[in-house]
Amino acid sequence: MTANTPEGGALHDLTLAEARQRLLDGDLTSRSLTQAHLDRIAQTEPSVGAFITVTADEALEQADAADALIASGDIPSPLTGLPIALKDVLMTQGTRTTAGSRMLDSLIPPYDATVVSRLRAAGAVSLGKTNMDEFAMGSSTEHSAWHPTSNPWDLERVPGGSSGGSAAAVAARQCLGSLGSDTGGSIRQPASFCGVVGLKPTYGRVSRYGLIAFASSLDQIGPFTRTVEDAALLLQEIAGPDPLDSTCYDVPVPDFMGQIERGLDGLRIAAPQEFFSDGMDDDVAEAMETALELLASNGAEIDRTPRMPSLPMALPVYYILAPSECSANLARFDGVKYGYGARGGESMWSDMEATRGHGFGREVKRRILLGAYALSAGYYDAYYLQAQKVRTLIRREFDRVFAEHDLIVAPTAPTVAFKRGAITDPYQMYLNDIFTIPANIAGLPAISVPGGFGADGMPVGLQLVGPRLDEATVLQVASAYERLAGWSTAPDG
Ligand code: GLN
């Protein structure tokens, strides 16, 4: 049975903002809202597989606490009683956290990631931990050590990755919003594939304390939601300085909702040619043209003249830097301190070899090998150092465009979601992130917002990239586009 709202819509179809209003108005309890989402999980999870761990009992306890708080008349925190989900790369005190890897099959963290404690402090109810590519390396969630996740729009297709579980859970209405992480596109590409909103904030806007590190100069945490407004609500709570993460900006967080309805008038939006060239499928290109026309006919100025000649180097640069950083970050998984550890070999070294041999999957091993090679004596200057120099060139090209433009518009991914098993060549898989990686390389905020439909009725994502720390303008334009385009974010059922 499906729980309904007073108007007859299903509770799991509410947006975060709508559910919040209903709770405050007293015509909905967090318990019924949370139970409706748990029921929805029970109904859809056998086919979608978005979660690694569902924490139903804890969720209902948190919901009851939220209801008690609202009933007491205290002004509740912004997310009080609202059910959300967390990518399994975020530390959750007392709840198993695996990063999609056998290596961490038994890790029960003794502390919460900063974003998790902030969501708890804001009153959110956590439904559990979502599936992902192992250690966030991948674009399809097929590299989870546990099971693949399906795209709710077409169960034979991938949801994207690495935060595929978080994107699919929102698209399947299993939660009102979720958190993911984005190192080269892992929030925006699955958002695009699953027809939902996904925001990667500025590098340093959101604390990474308690995020299991992949590539520390690129990693960032952000929200998945059904609407841009909901993304702003979640970002508002998780953003801001954190003494536990020295890479976090010590600057105040603006009121994102205050700017979100300002519209498009007078905004200059660049559409650099390099973002609209190689590798994009025709259906995606068509959707992009329609989106650009809509923006242009509603007050924005679209400028297609800017050039960013170094942009095609972003993908190769990423595949030097990200594996290099990952080879350093993943060195800690030696079987001694936490997680999986092989025992009983001839020596400490053979136990370590067995631990890493069994604990890591193929893609993770490939990245570690690539990174160790790029960092090794004799190759460091040719690869790592060179990549850092090109990274600086790419950053400068963004700075030049933003000196004269408010935002950059681009496709999120070159294709719609592909069938499970269709991409077996690692390089082909890496090409999924060709349009998302540049924002990570330059540390810029970027959103994917539903931008129409392509082949076989699958969603296409429109990407907006903003200047450093200007999430407000990114959200403003994304919200204006969302209102104008009015794309459905609901797969049937
Ligand atoms: N797909 C990219 C990779 O495999 C990006 C992953 C991410 O953003 N975490 O590295």
Side-chain angles (χ1 to χ4, degrees):
M1 209 191 84
T2 306
N4 288 329
T5 62
E7 289 80 40
L11 283 184
H12 58 249
D13 277 331
L14 293 172
T15 67
L16 201 68
E18 289 165 350
R20 174 175 130 146
Q21 198 52 52
R22 297 274 169 96
L23 285 174
L24 296 184
D25 291 349
D27 64 29
L28 184 62
T29 62
S30 176
R31 177 166 264 269
S32 58
L33 186 65
T34 302
Q35 189 61 56
H37 283 89
L38 289 170
D39 292 348
R40 179 76 178 164
I41 290 173
Q43 179 201 345
T44 54
E45 197 51 7
S47 57
V48 176
F51 282 82
I52 294 174
T53 306
V54 176
T55 50
D57 293 344
E58 290 97 318
L60 289 170
E61 268 171 37
Q62 290 165 14
D64 287 342
D67 286 331
L69 187 76
I70 294 170
S72 76
D74 273 357
I75 308 259
S77 307
L79 302 177
T80 298
L82 300 171
I84 50 96
L86 303 162
K87 185 177 182 180
D88 207 31
V89 74
L90 297 167
M91 295 297 225
T92 43
Q93 185 176 8
T95 299
R96 181 174 177 245
T97 300
T98 72
S101 180
R102 281 193 298 265
M103 190 60 96
L104 295 178
D105 66 349
S106 60
L107 175 64
I108 311 275
Y111 68 96
D112 277 333
T114 294
V115 290
V116 175
S117 46
R118 287 194 180 162
L119 288 184
R120 285 196 210 282
V125 169
S126 171
L127 297 170
K129 308 296 292 289
T130 57
N131 200 17
M132 56 182 283
D133 287 302
E134 183 175 6
F135 285 108
M137 298 169 199
S139 301
S140 66
T141 314
E142 293 168 293
H143 299 309
S144 166
W146 313 123
H147 55 85
T149 296
S150 292
N151 189 316
W153 293 81
D154 175 350
L155 297 173
E156 285 180 13
R157 293 178 195 251
V158 303
S162 64
S163 316
S166 289
V170 172
R173 309 289 184 267
Q174 296 175 330
C175 57
L176 292 172
S178 62
L179 293 188
S181 64
D182 189 314
T183 306
S186 280
I187 293 175
R188 289 159 289 154
Q189 182 257 17
S192 169
F193 278 17
C194 290
V196 298
V197 175
L199 171 68
K200 182 197 91 72
T202 305
Y203 181 81
R205 175 63 97 185
V206 175
S207 165
R208 285 103 43 83
Y209 177 73
L211 168 74
I212 297 172
F214 165 10
S216 304
S217 80
L218 301 157
D219 297 338
Q220 184 57 202
I221 299 168
F224 286 95
T225 50
R226 281 174 52 202
T227 66
V228 176
E229 177 186 31
D230 285 359
L233 288 173
L234 282 181
L235 179 64
Q236 198 77 50
E237 296 313 311
I238 61 173
D242 177 12
L244 298 173
D245 176 358
S246 60
T247 62
C248 231
Y249 280 107
D250 191 7
V251 295
V253 179
D255 171 18
F256 297 117
M257 290 300 289
Q259 190 174 328
I260 207 162
E261 291 196 359
R262 284 192 197 162
L264 298 171
D265 279 347
L267 289 174
R268 295 203 72 197
I269 303 179
Q273 294 173 27
E274 289 78 4
F275 271 119
F276 290 83
S277 53
D278 290 351
M280 206 191 326
D281 279 359
D282 290 345
D283 55 339
V284 177
E286 266 172 46
M288 286 303 110
E289 280 310 309
T290 310
L292 292 189
E293 279 161 26
L294 191 64
L295 291 169
S297 57
N298 284 279
E301 183 191 330
I302 304 289
D303 179 6
R304 297 179 193 244
T305 58
R307 299 298 310 256
M308 298 184 69
S310 299
L311 213 60
M313 296 308 293
L315 191 86
V317 163
Y318 175 87
Y319 277 99
I320 300 290
L321 298 181
S324 296
E325 294 182 26
C326 114
S327 74
N329 274 326
L330 271 55
R332 73 190 61 165
F333 300 108
D334 53 12
V336 177
K337 295 186 267 318
Y338 35 71
Y340 172 73
R343 297 282 180 271
E346 279 168 14
S347 67
M348 179 191 84
W349 297 112
S350 57
D351 281 350
M352 200 185 289
E353 212 176 295
T355 295
R356 290 171 71 84
H358 172 79
F360 290 138
R362 280 177 70 84
E363 183 59 28
V364 173
K365 286 178 189 158
R366 180 179 295 119
R367 304 287 179 106
I368 293 172
L369 288 172
L370 282 172
Y373 182 81
L375 290 175
S376 58
Y379 293 109
Y380 181 93
D381 287 1
Y383 293 113
Y384 186 76
L385 204 63
Q386 193 67 13
Q388 291 288 23
K389 289 179 184 167
V390 181
R391 180 177 199 172
T392 302
L393 289 180
I394 295 169
R395 279 175 192 264
R396 285 188 190 146
E397 283 178 14
F398 273 111
D399 289 346
R400 274 200 290 274
V401 175
F402 286 129
E404 292 179 5
H405 301 83
D406 298 290
L407 282 190
I408 290 175
V409 63
T412 305
T415 68
V416 297
F418 46 91
K419 292 252 164 82
R420 220 181 2 262
I423 299 186
T424 50
D425 171 29
Y427 181 65
Q428 288 302 322
M429 193 66 97
Y430 298 167
L431 286 174
N432 265 281
D433 294 309
I434 190 159
F435 300 134
T436 46
I437 281 174
N440 301 81
I441 297 287
L444 303 171
I447 199 166
S448 180
V449 65
F453 294 90
D456 303 314
M458 294 303 291
V460 170
L462 178 79
Q463 184 178 203
L464 297 161
V465 185
R468 189 171 59 91
L469 291 173
D470 197 4
E471 289 86 3
T473 305
V474 170
L475 289 162
Q476 175 189 334
V477 172
S479 170
Y481 173 76
E482 177 184 55
R483 282 192 301 274
L484 288 167
W487 299 114
S488 161
T489 60
D492 299 337

